[in-house]
Protein backbone atom coordinates (compact mmCIF):
# COMPACT_ATOMS: atom_id res chain seq x y z
CA UNK A 1 0.00 0.00 0.00
CA UNK A 2 1.27 3.49 -0.84
CA UNK A 3 1.92 5.54 2.29
CA UNK A 4 0.76 9.13 2.12
CA UNK A 5 2.63 12.00 3.67
CA UNK A 6 1.61 15.62 4.09
CA UNK A 7 4.00 18.19 2.67
CA UNK A 8 3.77 21.99 2.61
CA UNK A 9 5.55 24.36 0.25
CA UNK A 10 4.41 27.92 0.83
CA UNK A 11 5.44 30.92 -1.28
CA UNK A 12 6.33 33.07 1.70
CA UNK A 13 8.28 32.67 4.94
CA UNK A 14 5.37 34.19 6.87
CA UNK A 15 2.96 31.44 5.77
CA UNK A 16 5.57 28.81 6.57
CA UNK A 17 6.03 30.17 10.09
CA UNK A 18 2.29 30.26 10.59
CA UNK A 19 1.99 26.56 9.60
CA UNK A 20 4.87 25.63 11.91
CA UNK A 21 3.02 27.39 14.72
CA UNK A 22 -0.08 25.25 14.14
CA UNK A 23 1.48 21.87 13.54
CA UNK A 24 4.66 20.04 14.50
CA UNK A 25 6.41 19.62 11.13
CA UNK A 26 9.77 18.40 9.91
CA UNK A 27 11.66 21.25 8.27
CA UNK A 28 13.32 20.23 5.01
CA UNK A 29 15.94 22.54 3.47
CA UNK A 30 18.23 20.69 1.03
CA UNK A 31 17.20 17.37 2.57
CA UNK A 32 20.73 15.90 2.38
CA UNK A 33 20.75 15.08 6.10
CA UNK A 34 17.01 14.52 6.49
CA UNK A 35 16.85 11.89 3.75
CA UNK A 36 19.85 9.98 5.13
CA UNK A 37 18.48 10.16 8.67
CA UNK A 38 15.11 8.70 7.63
CA UNK A 39 16.34 6.17 5.11
CA UNK A 40 14.79 2.71 5.13
CA UNK A 41 15.92 -0.48 3.49
CA UNK A 42 17.40 -0.36 -0.02
CA UNK A 43 14.72 0.44 -2.58
CA UNK A 44 12.23 1.61 0.05
CA UNK A 45 11.47 5.34 0.31
CA UNK A 46 12.53 7.16 3.49
CA UNK A 47 10.00 6.96 6.30
CA UNK A 48 9.04 10.40 7.56
CA UNK A 49 6.21 10.39 10.07
CA UNK A 50 5.68 14.13 10.59
CA UNK A 51 4.31 16.46 7.93
CA UNK A 52 7.15 18.04 5.95
CA UNK A 53 7.54 21.73 5.36
CA UNK A 54 9.90 22.70 2.54
CA UNK A 55 11.88 25.91 2.99
CA UNK A 56 14.73 25.68 0.47
CA UNK A 57 12.95 27.80 -2.17
CA UNK A 58 12.03 30.74 0.11
CA UNK A 59 13.66 33.90 -1.22
CA UNK A 60 13.70 35.41 2.31
CA UNK A 61 16.21 32.67 3.28
CA UNK A 62 18.49 32.98 0.28
CA UNK A 63 20.02 36.45 0.62
CA UNK A 64 23.64 37.27 1.45
CA UNK A 65 23.87 40.82 2.76
CA UNK A 66 26.68 42.95 4.14
CA UNK A 67 25.67 45.20 7.07
CA UNK A 68 28.62 47.35 8.10
CA UNK A 69 31.42 44.82 8.75
CA UNK A 70 28.99 41.96 9.47
CA UNK A 71 27.87 39.37 6.97
CA UNK A 72 24.29 38.05 7.05
CA UNK A 73 23.90 34.75 5.22
CA UNK A 74 20.44 33.36 4.47
CA UNK A 75 20.09 29.92 6.03
CA UNK A 76 18.95 28.27 2.78
CA UNK A 77 21.86 29.39 0.63
CA UNK A 78 23.32 26.21 -0.82
CA UNK A 79 27.03 25.52 -0.68
CA UNK A 80 27.28 25.97 -4.46
CA UNK A 81 25.61 29.38 -4.20
CA UNK A 82 27.97 30.43 -1.40
CA UNK A 83 31.02 29.34 -3.40
CA UNK A 84 29.98 31.74 -6.16
CA UNK A 85 29.26 34.68 -3.86
CA UNK A 86 32.12 37.25 -3.66
CA UNK A 87 31.09 38.30 -0.13
CA UNK A 88 31.76 34.87 1.39
CA UNK A 89 35.16 34.82 3.15
CA UNK A 90 37.78 32.58 1.54
CA UNK A 91 38.29 30.35 4.63
CA UNK A 92 34.57 29.48 4.58
CA UNK A 93 34.80 28.72 0.88
CA UNK A 94 37.81 26.49 1.58
CA UNK A 95 35.77 24.57 4.16
CA UNK A 96 32.81 24.27 1.80
CA UNK A 97 35.02 22.84 -0.95
CA UNK A 98 35.83 19.91 1.35
CA UNK A 99 32.14 19.08 1.83
CA UNK A 100 30.69 16.14 -0.08
CA UNK A 101 30.65 16.27 -3.91
CA UNK A 102 29.12 18.97 -6.15
CA UNK A 103 25.71 17.26 -6.38
CA UNK A 104 25.30 17.36 -2.61
CA UNK A 105 26.70 20.92 -2.50
CA UNK A 106 23.96 21.92 -4.95
CA UNK A 107 21.34 20.86 -2.39
CA UNK A 108 22.98 21.15 1.05
CA UNK A 109 22.62 24.45 2.91
CA UNK A 110 24.63 26.23 5.57
CA UNK A 111 21.55 26.40 7.81
CA UNK A 112 21.11 22.64 7.46
CA UNK A 113 24.71 21.98 8.54
CA UNK A 114 24.12 24.05 11.69
CA UNK A 115 20.70 22.63 12.57
CA UNK A 116 21.86 19.07 11.95
CA UNK A 117 24.53 19.72 14.61
CA UNK A 118 26.81 16.84 13.68
CA UNK A 119 30.07 16.76 15.68
CA UNK A 120 31.75 16.41 12.26
CA UNK A 121 29.83 19.24 10.52
CA UNK A 122 32.51 20.87 8.39
CA UNK A 123 31.42 24.48 8.57
CA UNK A 124 31.02 24.42 12.35
CA UNK A 125 34.60 24.91 13.65
CA UNK A 126 34.91 28.01 11.45
CA UNK A 127 31.51 29.33 12.47
CA UNK A 128 32.58 28.96 16.12
CA UNK A 129 35.78 30.97 15.64
CA UNK A 130 33.84 33.62 13.72
CA UNK A 131 31.68 34.04 16.89
CA UNK A 132 28.66 33.35 14.71
CA UNK A 133 25.23 34.47 15.81
CA UNK A 134 22.01 32.91 14.57
CA UNK A 135 18.77 34.75 13.85
CA UNK A 136 15.77 32.55 14.60
CA UNK A 137 12.24 33.60 13.66
CA UNK A 138 8.76 32.44 14.68
CA UNK A 139 5.30 34.00 14.72
CA UNK A 140 6.27 35.32 18.17
CA UNK A 141 9.19 37.36 16.78
CA UNK A 142 12.95 37.15 16.33
CA UNK A 143 15.73 36.10 18.65
CA UNK A 144 19.49 36.03 18.20
CA UNK A 145 21.58 33.31 19.81
CA UNK A 146 25.30 32.47 19.75
CA UNK A 147 26.05 29.31 17.76
CA UNK A 148 27.83 27.80 20.79
CA UNK A 149 24.60 28.14 22.82
CA UNK A 150 22.38 26.95 19.98
CA UNK A 151 24.24 23.67 19.41
CA UNK A 152 23.81 21.54 22.52
CA UNK A 153 24.92 18.06 21.44
CA UNK A 154 24.92 15.70 18.48
CA UNK A 155 21.76 16.56 16.49
CA UNK A 156 20.50 18.57 19.46
CA UNK A 157 19.85 22.28 19.03
CA UNK A 158 18.08 24.91 21.06
CA UNK A 159 15.26 25.52 18.55
CA UNK A 160 11.58 25.84 19.42
CA UNK A 161 9.32 23.69 17.17
CA UNK A 162 7.78 26.83 15.63
CA UNK A 163 11.13 28.51 14.82
CA UNK A 164 13.14 28.66 11.62
CA UNK A 165 16.80 29.57 11.43
CA UNK A 166 16.67 32.58 9.13
CA UNK A 167 20.15 34.11 9.09
CA UNK A 168 23.68 33.18 9.99
CA UNK A 169 25.47 36.33 11.13
CA UNK A 170 29.27 36.52 11.00
CA UNK A 171 30.18 39.58 13.11
CA UNK A 172 33.07 41.77 11.88
CA UNK A 173 34.09 39.10 9.40
CA UNK A 174 34.59 41.65 6.65
CA UNK A 175 37.12 43.58 8.74
CA UNK A 176 40.71 43.34 7.53
CA UNK A 177 43.46 42.13 9.81
CA UNK A 178 42.90 38.59 11.01
CA UNK A 179 44.24 35.39 9.57
CA UNK A 180 41.85 32.47 9.54
CA UNK A 181 42.71 28.86 8.82
CA UNK A 182 40.66 25.73 8.33
CA UNK A 183 42.01 22.19 8.28
CA UNK A 184 40.05 19.00 7.69
CA UNK A 185 41.59 15.58 8.00
CA UNK A 186 39.65 12.85 6.24
CA UNK A 187 40.23 9.91 3.93
CA UNK A 188 40.51 12.32 1.00
CA UNK A 189 40.34 16.07 0.39
CA UNK A 190 36.59 16.22 -0.20
CA UNK A 191 33.60 13.88 -0.22
CA UNK A 192 34.68 12.30 3.06
CA UNK A 193 33.43 12.92 6.57
CA UNK A 194 36.06 14.55 8.81
CA UNK A 195 38.08 12.44 11.21
CA UNK A 196 39.20 15.72 12.80
CA UNK A 197 38.75 19.33 11.79
CA UNK A 198 40.25 22.55 13.09
CA UNK A 199 39.71 26.27 12.63
CA UNK A 200 41.93 29.02 13.97
CA UNK A 201 41.78 32.81 13.88
CA UNK A 202 44.60 35.11 14.88
CA UNK A 203 45.03 38.85 14.91
CA UNK A 204 48.48 40.27 15.57
CA UNK A 205 49.48 43.87 16.16
CA UNK A 206 53.08 44.97 16.75
CA UNK A 207 54.12 41.35 17.21
CA UNK A 208 51.55 40.82 19.97
CA UNK A 209 48.50 38.63 19.83
CA UNK A 210 45.41 40.85 19.96
CA UNK A 211 42.90 38.11 19.36
CA UNK A 212 43.16 34.37 19.00
CA UNK A 213 40.44 31.75 18.70
CA UNK A 214 40.44 28.06 17.82
CA UNK A 215 37.89 25.29 17.62
CA UNK A 216 37.97 21.57 16.84
CA UNK A 217 35.43 19.34 15.15
CA UNK A 218 34.94 15.59 15.61
CA UNK A 219 36.76 15.36 18.94
CA UNK A 220 33.73 15.84 21.20
CA UNK A 221 29.93 15.87 21.11
CA UNK A 222 30.01 19.48 19.87
CA UNK A 223 32.76 21.76 18.59
CA UNK A 224 35.45 22.19 21.25
CA UNK A 225 36.39 25.79 21.93
CA UNK A 226 37.57 27.38 25.20
CA UNK A 227 37.65 31.13 25.60
CA UNK A 228 39.47 30.69 28.94
CA UNK A 229 42.35 28.90 27.20
CA UNK A 230 42.43 31.44 24.37
CA UNK A 231 42.67 34.30 26.90
CA UNK A 232 45.99 32.92 28.17
CA UNK A 233 47.55 33.91 24.84
CA UNK A 234 46.21 37.45 24.49
CA UNK A 235 49.05 39.99 24.66
CA UNK A 236 51.79 37.38 24.18
CA UNK A 237 54.60 38.20 21.77
CA UNK A 238 55.05 36.08 18.67
CA UNK A 239 56.68 33.72 17.99
CA UNK A 240 55.21 32.02 21.04
CA UNK A 241 57.61 30.40 23.50
CA UNK A 242 57.70 26.60 23.41
CA UNK A 243 56.50 26.56 27.03
CA UNK A 244 53.38 28.57 26.11
CA UNK A 245 52.58 26.25 23.21
CA UNK A 246 53.06 23.19 25.43
CA UNK A 247 50.76 24.69 28.09
CA UNK A 248 47.93 25.33 25.59
CA UNK A 249 48.31 21.91 23.99
CA UNK A 250 48.17 20.29 27.41
CA UNK A 251 45.04 22.32 28.32
CA UNK A 252 43.31 21.08 25.18
CA UNK A 253 44.47 17.53 25.72
CA UNK A 254 42.35 17.61 28.90
CA UNK A 255 39.13 18.84 27.31
CA UNK A 256 38.88 17.02 23.98
CA UNK A 257 36.95 13.75 24.09
CA UNK A 258 37.55 11.88 20.84
CA UNK A 259 35.90 8.50 20.28
CA UNK A 260 36.58 5.33 18.31
CA UNK A 261 34.17 4.83 15.42
CA UNK A 262 34.08 3.43 11.88
CA UNK A 263 36.01 6.43 10.56
CA UNK A 264 38.92 6.63 13.00
CA UNK A 265 40.26 5.86 16.45
CA UNK A 266 40.28 8.08 19.51
CA UNK A 267 44.08 7.87 19.67
CA UNK A 268 44.50 9.01 16.06
CA UNK A 269 42.01 11.84 16.51
CA UNK A 270 43.70 13.08 19.68
CA UNK A 271 47.18 12.97 18.12
CA UNK A 272 46.11 14.78 14.95
CA UNK A 273 44.02 17.40 16.79
CA UNK A 274 46.89 18.32 19.08
CA UNK A 275 49.34 18.38 16.16
CA UNK A 276 47.05 20.78 14.28
CA UNK A 277 46.93 23.02 17.34
CA UNK A 278 50.74 22.90 17.77
CA UNK A 279 51.14 23.74 14.10
CA UNK A 280 48.75 26.68 14.35
CA UNK A 281 50.39 28.05 17.50
CA UNK A 282 53.85 27.77 16.03
CA UNK A 283 52.47 30.27 13.48
CA UNK A 284 54.87 29.01 10.83
CA UNK A 285 52.36 28.95 8.06
CA UNK A 286 50.32 31.90 9.24
CA UNK A 287 53.10 34.36 10.03
CA UNK A 288 51.91 37.82 9.12
CA UNK A 289 55.28 39.28 8.26
C1 LIG B 1 26.62 12.15 0.30
C2 LIG B 1 26.69 13.14 1.43
C3 LIG B 1 27.91 13.68 1.78
C4 LIG B 1 28.00 14.61 2.82
N1 LIG B 1 29.23 15.12 3.14
C5 LIG B 1 29.32 16.04 4.12
C6 LIG B 1 30.60 16.58 4.45
O1 LIG B 1 31.64 16.27 3.87
N2 LIG B 1 30.64 17.49 5.48
C7 LIG B 1 29.53 17.88 6.16
O2 LIG B 1 29.63 18.70 7.07
N3 LIG B 1 28.31 17.37 5.86
C8 LIG B 1 28.19 16.46 4.86
N4 LIG B 1 26.96 15.93 4.56
C9 LIG B 1 25.78 16.34 5.34
C10 LIG B 1 24.90 17.45 4.73
O3 LIG B 1 25.06 17.56 3.33
C11 LIG B 1 25.15 18.82 5.37
O4 LIG B 1 25.03 18.76 6.77
C12 LIG B 1 24.20 19.89 4.81
O5 LIG B 1 24.69 21.15 5.17
C13 LIG B 1 22.78 19.75 5.33
O6 LIG B 1 21.99 20.78 4.74
P1 LIG B 1 20.54 20.49 4.17
O7 LIG B 1 20.01 21.79 3.66
O8 LIG B 1 20.53 19.37 3.22
O9 LIG B 1 19.79 20.07 5.53
P2 LIG B 1 18.47 19.20 5.71
O10 LIG B 1 18.76 17.77 5.52
O11 LIG B 1 17.34 19.77 4.95
O12 LIG B 1 18.21 19.49 7.26
C14 LIG B 1 19.11 19.08 8.27
C15 LIG B 1 18.46 19.35 9.65
O13 LIG B 1 18.36 20.75 9.87
C16 LIG B 1 17.00 21.17 10.01
N5 LIG B 1 16.96 22.45 9.28
C17 LIG B 1 17.49 22.70 8.05
N6 LIG B 1 17.40 24.02 7.76
C18 LIG B 1 16.77 24.61 8.82
C19 LIG B 1 16.41 25.95 9.12
N7 LIG B 1 16.68 26.97 8.28
N8 LIG B 1 15.77 26.21 10.28
C20 LIG B 1 15.52 25.20 11.16
N9 LIG B 1 15.87 23.91 10.95
C21 LIG B 1 16.49 23.61 9.78
C22 LIG B 1 16.18 20.04 9.40
O14 LIG B 1 14.89 19.95 9.98
C23 LIG B 1 17.04 18.83 9.78
O15 LIG B 1 16.84 18.49 11.12
C24 LIG B 1 26.82 15.00 3.52
C25 LIG B 1 25.59 14.46 3.15
C26 LIG B 1 25.51 13.54 2.13
C27 LIG B 1 24.17 12.99 1.74
Amino acid sequence: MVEKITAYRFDRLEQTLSQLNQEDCLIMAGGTDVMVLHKSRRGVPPKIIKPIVFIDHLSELKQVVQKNKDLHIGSCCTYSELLENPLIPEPLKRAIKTIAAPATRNRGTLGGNICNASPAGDTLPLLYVYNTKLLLRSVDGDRVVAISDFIQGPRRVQRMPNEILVEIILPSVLEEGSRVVFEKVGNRNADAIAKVSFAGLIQISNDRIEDIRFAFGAVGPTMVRSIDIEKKLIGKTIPLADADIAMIVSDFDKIIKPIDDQRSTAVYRRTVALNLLRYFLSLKRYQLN
Side-chain angles (χ1 to χ4, degrees):
M1 198 180 73
V2 180
E3 283 186 47
K4 285 190 180 169
I5 55 162
T6 305
Y8 302 102
R9 192 177 189 276
F10 297 103
D11 289 340
R12 303 300 308 270
L13 177 60
E14 221 181 335
Q15 300 162 301
T16 313
L17 290 171
S18 164
Q19 187 62 40
L20 274 179
N21 199 48
Q22 290 166 36
E23 195 176 6
D24 186 17
C25 296
L26 174 83
I27 294 175
M28 173 102 77
T32 60
D33 277 316
V34 167
M35 296 302 274
V36 173
L37 217 61
H38 293 86
K39 71 171 186 274
S40 314
R41 282 176 293 116
R42 193 180 288 268
V44 178
K47 213 176 174 69
I48 298 178
I49 299 156
K50 288 184 191 179
I52 298 170
V53 61
F54 290 99
I55 60 167
D56 61 310
H57 59 291
L58 294 171
S59 57
E60 296 96 326
L61 305 180
K62 294 190 74 73
Q63 321 281 332
V64 178
V65 183
Q66 175 173 358
K67 292 185 187 163
N68 301 316
K69 299 274 161 78
D70 301 349
L71 191 61
H72 293 240
I73 304 174
S75 62
C76 283
C77 292
T78 65
Y79 293 125
S80 302
E81 286 163 351
L82 295 176
L83 283 176
E84 283 178 10
N85 192 307
L87 284 174
I88 300 300
E90 279 309 313
L92 185 53
K93 287 188 176 175
R94 278 203 298 279
I96 289 172
K97 282 179 192 161
T98 72
I99 295 178
T104 307
R105 285 182 221 148
N106 288 343
R107 292 292 312 157
T109 63
L110 190 56
N113 206 228
I114 296 168
C115 293
N116 189 54
S118 159
D122 280 322
T123 65
L124 304 180
L126 260 182
L127 295 179
Y128 271 59
V129 300
Y130 281 139
N131 288 336
T132 297
K133 292 184 168 34
L134 305 174
L135 174 68
L136 292 139
R137 184 165 298 161
S138 72
V139 292
D140 304 320
D142 286 358
R143 72 182 172 107
V144 175
V145 56
I147 191 166
S148 51
D149 293 331
F150 183 70
I151 296 180
Q152 306 211 311
R155 302 193 193 289
R156 211 154 43 79
V157 295
Q158 191 215 72
R159 183 184 73 82
M160 304 304 285
N162 68 347
E163 284 180 321
I164 287 183
L165 169 61
V166 172
E167 273 183 10
I168 296 123
I169 306 167
L170 310 187
S172 306
V173 78
L174 300 168
E175 215 157 38
E176 293 293 317
S178 20
R179 280 291 174 96
V180 181
V181 297
F182 172 76
E183 305 279 356
K184 169 174 168 178
V185 178
N187 275 349
R188 49 190 174 197
N189 284 342
D191 208 7
I193 304 295
K195 295 171 194 269
V196 182
S197 55
F198 173 84
L201 175 151
I202 185 159
Q203 197 169 344
I204 297 171
S205 173
N206 297 325
D207 283 349
R208 282 183 190 280
I209 297 177
E210 276 203 336
D211 195 1
I212 189 160
R213 309 172 201 166
F214 27 87
F216 293 91
V219 289
T222 61
M223 299 305 107
V224 182
R225 183 178 168 199
S226 165
I227 291 171
D228 285 340
I229 297 177
E230 291 167 6
K231 271 191 200 152
K232 293 185 182 179
L233 292 172
I234 304 291
K236 295 260 184 200
T237 314
I238 56 148
L240 286 169
D242 289 347
D244 285 329
I245 296 177
M247 171 185 69
I248 300 296
V249 170
S250 153
D251 284 350
F252 262 97
D253 195 11
K254 289 179 196 125
I255 62 169
I256 57 176
K257 293 187 171 51
I259 56 163
D260 291 320
D261 66 9
Q262 74 277 21
R263 276 189 284 278
S264 192
T265 63
V267 172
Y268 178 85
R269 287 188 159 113
R270 181 176 296 278
T271 308
V272 172
L274 297 180
N275 279 346
L276 289 171
L277 178 60
R278 242 180 239 113
Y279 194 50
F280 174 67
L281 295 178
S282 73
L283 306 175
K284 283 187 188 117
R285 216 168 117 190
Y286 319 118
Q287 197 77 281
L288 291 180
N289 45 24

